[in-house]
Amino acid sequence: MSSEPIQYTIPDLLSLFPFVFPKANAHFKECTAESKAWVRSFNILDEKRTAISEKAQAGLLCALTYSYAAHEEFRMTCDFLNLLFVLDHLSDDMNGRDAHSACDVLYQVLADPDFTHDSALAKMTLDFRQNLLRHSSAKPQFYKRFVSSIKGYTQAVAQEAELREAEEVQDLINFIPLRRENSGVRCCFAFIEFNFGIDLPDVVFDNPVFQSLYFGAVDMVCWSNDVLSYNVEQAMGHTSNNLVTVLMQERGVGIQEAADCIGVVFNQLIVRFLQDKSRLPSWGADIDREVELYLRGLTDWVGGSLVWSFQSCRYFGTANTITLLSRLVTLSPKDTE
């Protein structure tokens, strides 16, 4: 006798978001097609993984999170998000050792101009690096922060693979810093400066209030993403790298209680972000203008990623509109394609 399907309600994250949701970048269709062809030219994914990757619609995510980007900058950013998605799909099925090797290749190509490797991933990353550094918007502070974020990201993705291989779920206090890195969100935030053509000084980034704003936005993306992606990830058997699983294990609760908790935390992050924004010091008119642009980039990324989660088919398939309206999710069987 079959058991009743498990259902849970996701929090109303879109209603909690207090800022204007960004519209898609005007260069979306053209640049997405070009970037998709660029990825395919390296033959790095097999047909099945290519189909899954393209279904994720990285171009749409890029269009909604960088709505303000000019044509050339937007195309470069599309390529970068596609590069992240490629590594994500490659590493999903890797053990810790293989993930370390792949992640190290990505980082070394971006960080060391003398590093060489014959893999398709290395060739793809090198082509991206060369195109990026030729661009006038790739300013020194941007590239320094970008490479630093890539280092944290690749180390965390490799650690994620090790934990998955060991079937280990971390406790919340240790998982939060890991999730901030392996989500790739910090790498994506680096492209806010690139797309606005700004180059914030370290005195801004090192300020504790600015840091609180920055990591508040990172956490908003991570916590919302994990509750929205949980069903598809558990169906694939990839539950260890998700805040829903961490909360369920640490607090001894079910999916619904964990989802409710994420809604509460998301709202707390919004409140803190607004408070921090009002407490920022001034660094002079010119820098303050760039800070304001950067903060817009942060909120656009949070709002754009929420919209993408329901407009793409990555998390809810063809039921994305129904899920948006009802917020009800039926748990899929394991090993669902």
Side-chain angles (χ1 to χ4, degrees):
M1 188 175 184
S2 61
S3 58
E4 288 293 317
I6 298 173
Q7 293 184 317
Y8 60 100
T9 302
I10 55 178
D12 194 1
L13 302 171
L14 276 75
S15 293
L16 294 173
F17 186 73
F19 306 99
V20 175
F21 287 101
K23 296 181 179 179
N25 190 292
H27 309 294
F28 164 50
K29 290 185 177 179
E30 177 187 357
C31 291
T32 296
E34 292 173 352
S35 188
K36 189 184 296 185
W38 176 75
V39 174
R40 282 183 170 267
S41 71
F42 293 95
N43 294 315
I44 196 168
L45 299 176
D46 59 29
E47 283 303 312
K48 180 180 178 181
R49 282 176 171 165
T50 297
I52 293 172
S53 181
E54 291 181 358
K55 185 180 178 182
Q57 295 178 268
L60 178 61
L61 176 60
C62 193
L64 290 166
T65 50
Y66 306 96
S67 61
Y68 47 85
H71 181 275
E72 290 301 318
E73 288 86 351
F74 181 69
R75 169 59 203 282
M76 287 300 312
T77 311
C78 282
D79 287 353
F80 174 65
L81 259 67
N82 272 314
L83 181 59
L84 284 189
F85 273 65
V86 164
L87 183 63
D88 181 57
H89 288 292
L90 288 175
S91 64
D92 269 350
D93 298 322
M94 288 180 175
N95 58 30
R97 184 186 62 185
D98 291 343
H100 265 289
S101 297
C103 288
D104 188 60
V105 165
L106 183 89
Y107 170 69
Q108 292 295 341
V109 171
L110 291 171
D112 182 358
D114 297 322
F115 179 80
T116 58
H117 198 274
D118 290 333
S119 67
L121 178 62
K123 293 173 182 176
M124 182 180 183
T125 307
L126 178 61
D127 190 65
F128 167 77
R129 179 184 186 276
Q130 291 171 337
N131 291 337
L132 182 64
L133 289 178
R134 278 197 295 263
H135 204 286
S136 60
S137 294
K139 297 182 178 180
Q141 291 292 93
F142 152 73
Y143 199 75
K144 180 188 75 173
R145 293 191 187 106
F146 170 61
V147 171
S148 175
S149 68
I150 285 290
K151 183 176 183 179
Y153 167 71
T154 51
Q155 289 175 342
V157 169
Q159 184 181 353
E160 174 193 342
E162 291 175 345
L163 292 167
R164 185 172 60 244
E165 186 179 9
E167 298 183 346
E168 178 183 342
V169 178
Q170 289 192 313
D171 57 17
L172 187 61
I173 196 169
N174 287 303
F175 183 69
I176 288 175
L178 175 68
R179 193 72 185 103
R180 285 172 172 174
E181 300 295 343
N182 70 13
S183 65
V185 175
R186 297 190 66 196
C187 306
C188 295
F189 280 7
F191 275 80
I192 295 172
E193 287 184 274
F194 176 76
N195 282 295
F196 274 126
I198 60 179
D199 210 28
L200 291 176
D202 286 340
V203 67
V204 174
F205 263 87
D206 293 341
N207 179 271
V209 180
F210 186 89
Q211 284 280 298
S212 181
L213 281 160
Y214 176 87
F215 282 107
V218 171
D219 289 341
M220 278 187 256
V221 177
C222 292
W223 285 72
S224 60
N225 176 268
D226 279 11
V227 74
L228 297 176
S229 67
Y230 176 76
N231 183 39
V232 69
E233 290 182 5
Q234 66 82 29
M236 295 167 60
H238 297 160
T239 56
S240 62
N241 188 55
N242 191 294
L243 281 155
V244 173
T245 303
V246 172
L247 290 167
M248 288 170 65
Q249 177 169 293
E250 181 158 307
R251 302 188 178 185
V253 298
I255 300 173
Q256 188 60 64
E257 291 86 352
D260 292 343
C261 176
I262 287 177
V264 171
V265 172
F266 185 83
N267 188 54
Q268 291 171 341
L269 290 167
I270 290 285
V271 171
R272 192 187 84 193
F273 188 93
L274 293 171
Q275 292 172 342
D276 287 339
K277 190 176 179 182
S278 69
R279 297 191 302 116
L280 269 179
S282 173
W283 291 277
D286 290 342
I287 294 179
D288 287 353
R289 181 189 65 83
E290 294 194 351
V291 169
E292 189 64 31
L293 288 173
Y294 191 89
L295 296 182
R296 179 202 159 181
L298 293 179
T299 57
D300 274 11
W301 227 100
V302 177
S305 66
L306 287 173
V307 174
W308 168 78
S309 297
F310 292 102
Q311 284 193 4
S312 75
C313 297
R314 182 169 174 85
Y315 298 145
F316 305 110
T318 56
N320 49 5
T321 302
I322 295 171
T323 307
L324 171 64
L325 297 173
S326 69
R327 297 191 287 117
L328 190 65
V329 178
T330 301
L331 207 63
S332 301
K334 301 290 186 185
D335 301 321
T336 302
E337 286 288 343

